[in-house]
Amino acid sequence: MTEAIGILGGTFDPIHYGHLRPALEVAETLGLSHIRLIPNSIPPHRPQPIATVEQRLTMLKLAVEGHPRFQVDDRELNRQGESYTIDTLVDLRDEFPDKALYLLVGTDAFLHIQTWHRWHELLEFSHIVVMQRPGELPVMNEQTQAWYQQHLADKESSILLCGKIWPIAVTQLMVSATQIRKTIADKCNPQFLLPDAVIGFINQASLYGVE
Ligand code: ATP
């Protein structure tokens, strides 16, 4: 069987269980050898992160310590300018020419995928996994819907290295980094929303309003 690699990009400001648990479920469902967590340096579609790139990288490493199915990949931090997913996929395809690549995105992100830089080329380099709540039917605009239908994976698709869209049902945890930052700023306890080792680092580095 072709070895397959998952890719989860994000700001990870901070990493939390809403990232890790769905990613693990996708890895198990699709038999991915590992998931690469790829922090972005200058995210194009959102406000800039509060933690520095080094701090976000440290939190990622602490979160996955002892979990070899997750690997931290800092390639976007070494690039100048904005982080575009397409550049990362081109890079990974170059590095892993004979492995299947699966880009993991939440339903919300997928609904806006046509705003991404060179979005129509994404499938030339990777598959796309849409992480859905069980039973959820995302409401897409006409163009996204047509693209989704045209590339929807079927039974034969698992031999392909790229080119298909895979809706996968995952346990969605209503956790966001925004909520965690607010919880901390409000002097409340964020425990069980993210790994203890990450909380330890946040406290030590006085991040997000810790005094
Ligand atoms: P913020 O609240 O700061 O916007 P976030 O918690 O959404 O951050 P990101 O780093 O922006 O985290 O997310 C990276 C990726 O993880 C995105 O594709 C996003 O859709 C997905 N993601 C984030 N939180 C969840 C969650 N609770 N369940 C499933 N996917 C998630």
Side-chain angles (χ1 to χ4, degrees):
M1 205 178 98
T2 313
E3 199 187 323
I5 299 172
I7 301 154
L8 180 63
T11 312
F12 303 121
D13 186 25
I15 176 93
H16 53 71
Y17 287 134
H19 299 125
L20 293 166
R21 177 69 209 175
L24 176 62
E25 291 182 7
V26 169
E28 295 202 315
T29 304
L30 293 175
L32 307 181
S33 62
H34 71 270
I35 305 256
R36 301 178 90 79
L37 299 170
I38 308 189
N40 47 29
S41 56
I42 307 180
H45 295 295
R46 48 164 298 144
Q48 297 308 303
I50 291 170
T52 65
V53 289
E54 291 80 13
Q55 287 171 328
R56 290 184 293 126
L57 198 57
T58 301
M59 290 190 281
L60 279 167
K61 287 179 181 164
L62 288 169
V64 303
E65 211 167 69
H67 300 280
R69 207 151 192 190
F70 289 97
Q71 292 183 17
V72 179
D73 180 331
D74 65 359
R75 73 187 59 225
E76 290 193 3
L77 305 180
N78 300 322
R79 267 203 311 260
Q80 297 298 313
E82 293 200 329
S83 297
Y84 290 118
T85 302
I86 186 72
D87 298 329
T88 303
L89 296 182
V90 170
D91 236 41
L92 287 166
R93 174 51 68 216
D94 214 38
E95 190 175 335
F96 302 105
D98 53 2
K99 297 203 184 355
L101 300 178
Y102 288 83
L103 175 69
L104 277 52
V105 298
T107 304
D108 292 1
F110 184 77
L111 293 180
H112 300 112
I113 203 152
Q114 296 189 348
T115 63
W116 293 18
H117 185 53
R118 293 166 58 194
W119 66 272
H120 51 283
E121 293 173 54
L122 297 168
L123 290 174
E124 291 173 26
F125 299 93
S126 172
H127 295 288
I128 295 177
V129 174
V130 187
M131 299 186 284
Q132 298 183 336
R133 290 181 186 84
E136 178 186 53
L137 276 180
V139 182
M140 298 173 223
N141 68 33
E142 221 173 282
Q143 200 187 12
T144 313
Q145 178 75 36
W147 190 63
Y148 176 87
Q149 290 298 342
Q150 186 189 347
H151 297 285
L152 202 53
D154 58 27
K155 278 194 200 113
E156 280 82 53
S157 305
S158 53
I159 57 163
L160 302 173
L161 302 187
C162 61
K164 292 290 176 185
I165 297 174
W166 301 72
I168 304 278
V170 294
T171 306
Q172 286 254 348
L173 307 169
M174 295 305 286
V175 181
S176 70
T178 304
Q179 174 206 354
I180 290 171
R181 294 194 300 271
K182 183 171 183 321
T183 300
I184 294 169
D186 291 347
K187 315 285 177 245
C188 295
N189 190 344
Q191 206 175 18
F192 309 129
L193 297 175
L194 69 172
D196 284 344
V198 178
I199 297 176
F201 178 81
I202 290 170
N203 289 334
Q204 188 198 319
S206 302
L207 271 170
Y208 312 127
V210 170
E211 281 164 5

